[in-house]
Amino acid sequence: MSSAEVLEETAPEIAAELVGDDAQAVAPVDTRLFYGWLMLPLAMLLMISTSPGQTFGFSFFNGKFRAAFDLTQTGLSTTYLLATVLASLALPYIGGLTDRYGLRRSAMAAILAMAGICVFISQTTGVVTLFFSFLMFRIMGPGTLVLLANNTLARWFDHRLGLVSALMQVAMAGAMAFVPTAIVMLIDSFGWRGAYLAIAALLACGLLPLVGVVYRESPSELGQFPDGARNRADHPSSSTALVGLTLAEARAERAFWILLAATATWALIGTGYLFHLEVLFQAQGLGKSASTRAMTAVAISMATAQLMGGVFADRFQLRWLLVTAVGLIATSAVMLASGAASILIASLAVYGLGQGLMSIVAATGWARFFGRAHLGKIRGMSLTAAIAGSSLGPLMMAVSDDYLGGFGPSLWCFAGMAGVITVASFWATPPTGNDEVTE
């Protein structure tokens, strides 16, 4: 079966891009400003819209949840864990749906669903409905919308994918800096239930219409080529940009499992930190203002690492970024485990550097190692690992704090896990025959 026939089964809406010179007949080449530069801020907004389902989006609601539903830290963390594990199982299937139905329709459906979930959680009356709220948030936020934001950029950019991914991740770092402050203000003004209703209104009345009007599926829809190339000769990879390994073929590669383990470990550690952020600072006698300053420090260090990582990802082998990223995350765990209040914010800033680099690896590595034809399913599997890992981090820290005398044992465990993955990452090389961009 030819590559065009394979892609007609998996992505019929874009198969015309892949059948050689006949693709020129789809639309005349558009020499105006490359539309991908408009898709970039839209992808940024999609990424920021994941905030209600991200751990940093929950962090300042957690005290309200515990008080409203009479939950201990372990009880709340267990609820979050179970919801997150179940959410992770759905993502390979959802990734396949985005491959089938297209990114634009999938993005609109996901935004509408996120708004609906915000309304649902605002009416929560007990632990059962809280569990289902967590479940739906985790599926739609760090699951579906993250996948859609990253795959949008992978559709429009190739050689510049590292750079634009860095810019998008910087926008997410900005969200981590400012969203918690905005959430605290909304909670103080309207209560936690009213805060969720306000977020729902922003999504449904602001972002949804914007995506409906502006979003375009691929460069060929406008007679353009990835990266804004003027013709196919300037961008020879455009005729094969959507060719790639199936999920089964990717699973046979060593790099797939190393990337998957690094993704899961990164998510586990980072989610644990952010979920228990206020408690980490309270244990050192520090208040809410210190924890919000820590989030700002994380955001600044993330943005710095993302900008640098985006440039490096377009020039060097990704395994070196992976080694550095996971190594920094391991270092942050060691610093936090020391228990010194004086380096608490610095420890989280080091984690921010690791997270910044890791986000660039996650944004570019899957597409560059395994291609774009089945990227929804492949990235869906990576998000399954990430969300499953993120379910364990908060519980490990909660059990450590409730039963082992503090967060120290869990933090030393985190350091050991990240250390092993750091060493393994030296062997994260592309599949044989895949020309990763290194120059």
Side-chain angles (χ1 to χ4, degrees):
M1 183 179 290
S2 71
S3 62
E5 291 171 333
V6 171
L7 287 161
E8 285 173 350
E9 293 183 3
T10 58
E13 73 279 7
I14 50 177
E17 252 191 310
L18 306 174
V19 292
D21 293 335
D22 291 341
Q24 299 283 354
V26 174
V29 175
D30 189 337
T31 58
R32 294 174 297 176
L33 177 68
F34 178 48
Y35 199 81
W37 296 119
L38 187 57
M39 293 298 296
L40 172 59
L42 201 60
M44 290 177 177
L45 290 175
L46 288 176
M47 184 65 81
I48 292 170
S49 73
T50 70
S51 297
Q54 299 281 5
T55 304
F56 69 84
F58 285 124
S59 184
F60 294 92
F61 285 102
N62 285 344
K64 307 297 182 182
F65 295 149
R66 289 198 304 269
F69 307 118
D70 194 26
L71 289 168
T72 63
Q73 278 201 136
T74 299
L76 181 62
S77 297
T78 301
T79 303
Y80 187 79
L81 177 148
L82 293 174
T84 301
V85 168
L86 288 177
S88 71
L89 300 177
L91 293 178
Y93 176 72
I94 290 175
L97 291 179
T98 66
D99 289 336
R100 179 182 301 175
Y101 293 108
L103 298 179
R104 180 177 178 273
R105 284 186 289 179
S106 299
M108 294 180 68
I111 294 164
L112 187 61
M114 182 67 86
I117 298 164
C118 288
V119 174
F120 181 83
I121 197 171
S122 74
Q123 306 304 310
T124 297
T125 57
V127 176
V128 173
T129 47
L130 182 65
F131 166 80
F132 282 108
S133 298
F134 284 169
L135 173 64
M136 293 184 291
F137 266 132
R138 300 299 280 171
I139 290 174
M140 283 298 132
T144 306
L145 281 165
V146 167
L147 182 151
L148 290 167
N150 281 299
N151 284 9
T152 293
L153 294 186
R155 183 69 59 82
W156 283 86
F157 295 91
D158 184 11
H159 299 314
R160 294 175 175 170
L161 183 58
L163 172 63
V164 296
S165 296
L167 295 174
M168 182 177 70
Q169 296 298 337
V170 167
M172 192 58 181
M176 290 185 67
F178 298 111
V179 166
T181 301
I183 286 174
V184 170
M185 292 175 61
L186 287 173
I187 293 173
D188 290 343
S189 299
F190 306 111
W192 70 270
R193 296 180 188 274
Y196 273 119
L197 290 175
I199 295 169
L202 286 171
L203 291 170
C205 300
L207 184 58
L208 181 61
L210 183 64
V211 169
V213 171
V214 176
Y215 200 102
R216 296 294 182 271
E217 196 73 27
S218 69
S220 65
E221 188 175 332
L222 300 177
Q224 295 184 336
F225 297 98
D227 297 317
R230 293 302 184 188
N231 54 58
R232 193 176 302 283
D234 291 340
H235 202 293
S237 65
S238 64
S239 61
T240 57
L242 294 169
V243 175
L245 278 64
T246 65
L247 177 59
E249 291 168 340
R251 284 199 298 247
E253 300 292 336
R254 176 182 62 206
F256 177 88
W257 295 105
I258 295 173
L259 280 170
L260 206 65
T263 299
T265 302
W266 160 44
L268 182 151
I269 294 173
T271 305
Y273 290 172
L274 298 181
F275 194 85
H276 296 290
L277 186 66
E278 284 192 275
V279 182
L280 275 168
F281 279 81
Q282 289 169 3
Q284 300 293 342
L286 301 172
K288 185 179 294 186
S289 61
S291 62
T292 56
R293 287 200 305 273
M295 286 300 299
T296 302
V298 171
I300 291 171
S301 61
M302 275 181 59
T304 302
Q306 285 161 346
L307 288 172
M308 294 175 62
V311 174
F312 293 153
D314 289 338
R315 289 166 171 77
F316 303 108
Q317 292 183 3
L318 285 173
R319 62 173 169 160
W320 303 120
L321 288 185
L322 185 62
V323 168
T324 305
V326 185
L328 286 166
I329 292 171
T331 301
S332 75
V334 172
M335 293 171 69
L336 282 172
S338 71
S342 59
I343 62 170
L344 189 53
I345 292 179
S347 304
L348 292 169
V350 170
Y351 167 75
L353 292 172
Q355 167 146 319
L357 292 178
M358 191 64 213
S359 66
I360 299 302
V361 172
T364 61
W366 300 104
R368 286 184 169 167
F369 278 27
F370 307 112
R372 292 163 172 79
H374 306 278
L375 189 56
K377 285 187 177 180
I378 291 173
R379 207 186 290 278
M381 180 64 76
S382 77
L383 288 170
T384 293
I387 294 181
S390 70
S391 71
L392 293 174
L395 182 62
M396 290 173 67
M397 291 186 68
V399 170
S400 180
D401 189 42
D402 286 344
Y403 302 107
L404 300 178
F407 290 125
S410 61
L411 294 171
W412 284 116
C413 182
F414 290 170
M417 294 168 61
V420 170
I421 300 300
T422 299
V423 174
S425 296
F426 283 97
W427 285 270
T429 54
T432 302
N434 185 311
D435 295 326
E436 180 193 349
V437 176
T438 58
E439 297 293 339

